[in-house]
């Protein structure tokens, strides 16, 4: 790969490639994502949907040429080399100020504290049942107040990190890289984005960067009313931060690879309900009391410290009275219509456990075979059950018929029966933790097979198979997290205020996902970057001999804050799919339906993208952000349609600003999901017939190049259609006069849903310090938009 920016790569790729160097072009078989127009059959299983060119096009192609996005893979020499902005930038590398600088940069003012991750623990209050021995009975408890507050402390940004550039030309001068890189100014975006411009219409005022109120202030305790009991005062809605949610971080600084960093937000103090508003109406009675601090902390602690255990079980027998307490706790779980649909089958026999182990082993192998290589490698190292290592196994079942035909609450939602049994499992798990017993849940079973093997009544559903025993220790973090299989999602990602998408923790104002993402994007870590360059200098190779690889390795160090950086695998490809109204202008030889057909192809594993992904062991998912037709639910498809295709931007805006923001959020959330699922690298993919027309328009806006310079031949269109495509791009730009400093407006005018989503994907990846590999002209166009939104996002991009 040439040492060039993503932008350069894109523009070069998008440049006219006339004559098209695709010999098979004249005899199209089907569009495929490949350099050569290989018919999908070569890679697709026979049942794959193979899109066929359709004659009844708005504008019938004179020469139907069907290589999907050859720009992305055909590095044809452009006839007219495109002048690209900032051509000197080799890699989009920006660095953070070193902490204890190995003096790779000029001394800079005060170092910004590293973002500290505070993982708020879910906090709940539970009512504990009292037990009457020997008959376990459920004692009604007054309901604990529902109020449960978890606070996230976000460090206030003391100062802005001073980004410095990485070396532009490493091969030329690798020795002086860090210092030189520091000396180079950050490439300025063409048009720095004002925060206001990101907002949907009407423009939202930007929140002032005010410090968050101290936790104590965040939730004012309600006025304390006369105490009904000396020790059980009215519940304090304000949790005690010191005793409640002990933040869990992995590295000392809380920024290790297993932690999803909680973005720093400019928080505004939230108006607390006034005493009058909070005060109960007359006649006043105090609400039922909660627990005192120590009791509450004990309850919260057991929830925090419950772990799924696979390793380190001991063979010590479990005394009957201990197991009885644990089962009694399970039996006090809530259940639909109070149907108590659970049964607990306690298994101790080594023989039964052996046969269960064999069943699980078979499923483990089947699952391993289904995994992409990157994941399979990881999975091989994982222990997923401790059936033979534990003295007691417990099968928890659900009887969907218990309680008779009219069980309250099960009429509409029959799944409430197994849900109830799952709650019994949680009770059991917590009680076991309090007893010092480890529990490991095994779900590698074919349920019916297990029912038969255990001789269970056929009408029962198996909800859980649990391995129970004493352990050497309880890990502080989930074992899967420690193994790098997954990351913990911050609470702030999942709490919504009133409507889905208005994310806000109690006591906070709802925050804008895009703004939150932007504020979490940081430059590369200068210290790790400096170490990477130093390390390369010590290697037995000529300086710069590895070209782009040297830059990427340093970039990965800067991103991960580690030198050498961890290998970024497993990886996931997200293919964003959408349709385009501009298709009506006859800018492509392919009918719009091909978008949906290719989506089916990707999901069936039959596209070139799948073949490449399989080679590197990456997972492939398709995100429907705007395909014009309804797509059937399929494994691997993420249904996130914002709308069915864009409008024709030669006659009006392609999208509304709200739609652009929604599509950007789809991209951000996709990045979040894939990273939280343990992926260490993200790859872009896209599918959208006619999307190179939108790409060309976006590139014009952000490079200032003429439409004729950057409008490519897409799937290999002929001269006539190409001329029309150039004209379409030109007309759209004339019509909208997009303002480069308003990237949301630019996307709304001439963008595509997949461009917006990919821009969000890049921003999301960057905010999580995860490298994003750009592939294709549309991804490059999206990167230009992402750069206009947050210039430092490019530090995470590899092209
Ligand atoms: C429904 C369910 C099924 C599970 N199945 C398995 C399993 O088959 N094998 C396994 O090792 N862990 C299994 N687990 C445990 C989870 O991996 C574990 O809860 C998760 O990694 C979080 O770790 P923690 O429970 O220690 O917080 C299961 C958990 C649940 C809730």
């Amino acid at each position: 790969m040439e040492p060039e920016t993503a932008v350069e790569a894109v523009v070069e790729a998008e440049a006219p490639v006339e004559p098209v160097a695709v010999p098979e072009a004249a005899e199209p078989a089907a569009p495929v994502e490949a350099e050569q127009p290989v018919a999908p059959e070569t890679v697709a299983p026979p049942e794959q949907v193979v899109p066929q060119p359709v004659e009844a096009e708005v504008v019938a192609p004179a020469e139907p040429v069907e290589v999907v996005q050859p720009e992305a893979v055909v590095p044809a020499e452009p006839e007219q080399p495109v002048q690209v902005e900032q051509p000197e930038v080799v890699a989009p590398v920006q660095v953070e100020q070193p902490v204890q600088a190995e003096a790779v940069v000029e001394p800079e003012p005060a170092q910004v504290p590293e973002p500290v991750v505070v993982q708020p623990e879910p906090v709940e209050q539970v009512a504990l049942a009292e037990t009457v021995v020997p008959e376990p009975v459920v004692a009604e408890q007054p309901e604990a107040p529902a109020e449960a507050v978890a606070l996230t402390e976000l460090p206030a940004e003391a100062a802005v990190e001073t980004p410095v550039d990485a070396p532009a030309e490493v091969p030329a001068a690798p020795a002086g890289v860090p210092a030189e890189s520091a000396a180079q100014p950050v490439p300025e975006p063409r048009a720095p984005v004002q925060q206001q411009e990101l907002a949907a219409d009407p423009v939202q005022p930007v929140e002032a960067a005010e410090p968050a109120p101290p936790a104590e202030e965040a939730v004012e305790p309600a006025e304390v009313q006369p105490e009904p009991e000396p020790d059980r005062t009215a519940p304090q809605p304000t949790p005690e931060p010191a005793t409640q949610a002990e933040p869990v971080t992995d590295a000392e600084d809380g920024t290790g690879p297993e932690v999803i960093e909680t973005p720093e937000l400019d928080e505004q103090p939230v108006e607390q309900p006034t005493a009058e508003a909070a005060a109960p109406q007359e006649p006043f009675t105090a609400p039922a009391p909660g627990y005192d601090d120590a009791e509450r902390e004990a309850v919260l602690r057991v929830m925090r410290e419950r772990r799924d255990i696979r390793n380190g079980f001991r063979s010590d027998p479990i005394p009957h009275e201990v197991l009885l307490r644990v089962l009694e706790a399970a039996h006090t779980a809530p259940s639909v219509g109070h149907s108590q649909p659970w049964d607990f089958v306690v298994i101790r026999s080594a023989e039964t456990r052996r046969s269960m182990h064999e069943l699980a082993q078979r499923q483990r192998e089947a699952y391993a075979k289904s995994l992409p290589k990157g994941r399979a490698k990881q999975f091989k190292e994982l222990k997923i059950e401790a059936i033979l290592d534990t003295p007691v196994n417990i099968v928890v079942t659900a009887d969907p018929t218990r309680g008779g035909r009219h069980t309250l609450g099960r009429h509409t939602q029959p799944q409430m029966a197994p849900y109830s049994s799952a709650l019994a499992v949680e009770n059991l798990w917590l009680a076991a933790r309090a007893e010092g017993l480890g529990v490991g849940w095994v779900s590698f079973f074919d349920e019916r097979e297990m029912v038969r093997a255990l001789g269970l009544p056929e009408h029962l559903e198996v909800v859980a198979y649990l391995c129970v025993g004493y352990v050497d220790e309880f890990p502080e973090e989930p074992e899967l997290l420690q193994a790098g299989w997954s990351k913990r999602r911050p609470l702030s990602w999942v709490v919504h205020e009133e409507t889905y998408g208005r994310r806000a923790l109690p006591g906070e104002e709802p925050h804008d996902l895009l703004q939150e993402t932007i504020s979490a994007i940081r430059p590369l870590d200068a210290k790790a970057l400096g170490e990477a360059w130093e390390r390369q200098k010590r290697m037995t190779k000529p300086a710069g001999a590895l070209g782009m690889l040297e830059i990427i390795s340093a970039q990965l160090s800067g991103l991960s804050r580690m030198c050498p950086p961890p290998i970024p695998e497993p990886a996931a490809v997200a293919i964003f799919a959408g349709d385009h109204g501009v298709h009506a202008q006859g800018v492509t030889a392919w009918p719009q339906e091909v978008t949906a057909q290719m989506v089916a192809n990707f999901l069936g594993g039959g596209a070139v993208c799948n073949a490449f992904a399989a080679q590197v062991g990456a997972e492939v998912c398709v995100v429907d952000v705007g395909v014009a037709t309804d797509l059937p639910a399929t494994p691997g498809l993420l249904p996130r349609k914002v709308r069915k295709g864009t409008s024709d931007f030669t006659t009006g805006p392609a999208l509304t600003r709200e739609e652009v923001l929604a599509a950007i959020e789809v991209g951000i959330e996709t990045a979040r999901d894939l990273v939280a699922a343990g992926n260490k690298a993200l790859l872009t993919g896209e599918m959208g017939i006619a999307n190179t027309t939108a790409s060309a328009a976006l590139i014009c806006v952000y490079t200032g190049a003429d439409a004729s310079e950057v409008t490519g031949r897409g799937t290999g269109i002929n001269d006539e259609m190409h001329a029309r495509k150039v004209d379409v791009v030109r007309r759209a730009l004339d019509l909208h006069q997009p303002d480069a400093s308003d990237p949301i407006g630019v996307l709304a005018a001439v963008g595509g849903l997949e461009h917006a989503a990919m821009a969000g994907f890049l921003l999301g990846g960057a905010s999580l310090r995860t490298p994003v590999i750009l592939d294709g002209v549309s991804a490059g166009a999206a990167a230009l938009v992402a750069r206009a939104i947050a210039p430092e996002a490019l530090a995470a991009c590899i092209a």
Side-chain angles (χ1 to χ4, degrees), residues 86-179:
Q86 300 152 7
E88 75 290 354
V89 179
V90 173
V93 180
Q94 295 165 301
V95 294
E96 287 172 331
Q97 190 65 9
V99 183
Q100 298 294 327
E102 292 189 9
V104 289
V105 291
E106 293 279 321
E108 292 287 342
Q111 171 59 31
V112 179
E114 292 291 326
V116 176
V117 177
V118 177
Q119 302 289 356
E121 291 290 326
V123 179
E124 288 173 35
Q125 287 191 309
V126 293
L128 297 180
E130 290 173 8
T131 301
V132 179
V133 179
E135 283 297 310
V137 294
V138 181
E140 297 272 329
Q141 289 287 321
E143 274 190 17
E147 203 53 38
V149 182
L151 299 176
T152 302
E153 288 180 21
L154 301 172
E157 191 72 350
V160 178
E161 288 153 314
T162 308
V164 278
D165 253 5
E169 299 289 344
V170 171
V177 160

Side-chain angles (χ1 to χ4, degrees), residues 63-95:
E63 297 169 7
V65 184
E66 66 306 298
V67 184
V68 172
Q69 297 161 8
E71 312 92 316
V73 286
V74 182
E77 280 295 311
E79 283 183 342
Q80 300 169 333
V82 176
Q83 294 304 313
V84 182
E85 231 189 350
Q86 300 152 7
E88 75 290 354
V89 179
V90 173
V93 180
Q94 295 165 301
V95 294

Side-chain angles (χ1 to χ4, degrees), residues 121-126 144-151 219 236-239 244 296 300 303 491 495 505-507:
E121 291 290 326
V123 179
E124 288 173 35
Q125 287 191 309
V126 293
E147 203 53 38
V149 182
L151 299 176
V219 185
Q236 306 284 310
T238 307
Q244 189 171 344
R296 186 184 59 208
L300 298 177
M303 290 176 182
L491 181 64
V495 181
L505 291 176

Side-chain angles (χ1 to χ4, degrees), residues 494-517:
V494 297
V495 181
H496 309 253
E497 182 76 24
E498 298 294 346
T499 52
Y500 186 91
R502 278 168 50 91
R503 289 178 179 77
L505 291 176
E508 285 180 5
E509 283 294 338
H511 54 262
D512 173 59
L513 185 54
L514 175 56
Q515 214 54 62
E516 178 190 48
T517 303

Side-chain angles (χ1 to χ4, degrees), residues 303-304 306-310 383-385 425 429 439-445 463-465 475 477-481 486 488:
M303 290 176 182
R304 267 197 317 271
R306 180 210 54 77
R307 285 275 77 80
D308 183 83
I309 308 288
R310 306 164 182 82
K383 188 165 163 58
I384 49 97
E385 48 79 20
V425 175
W429 215 334
V439 174
W441 187 325
V442 190
S443 51
F444 279 74
F445 288 108
V463 170
Y465 190 96
E477 291 284 8
E479 290 183 30
L480 291 184
L481 188 147
S486 62
R488 196 185 281 285

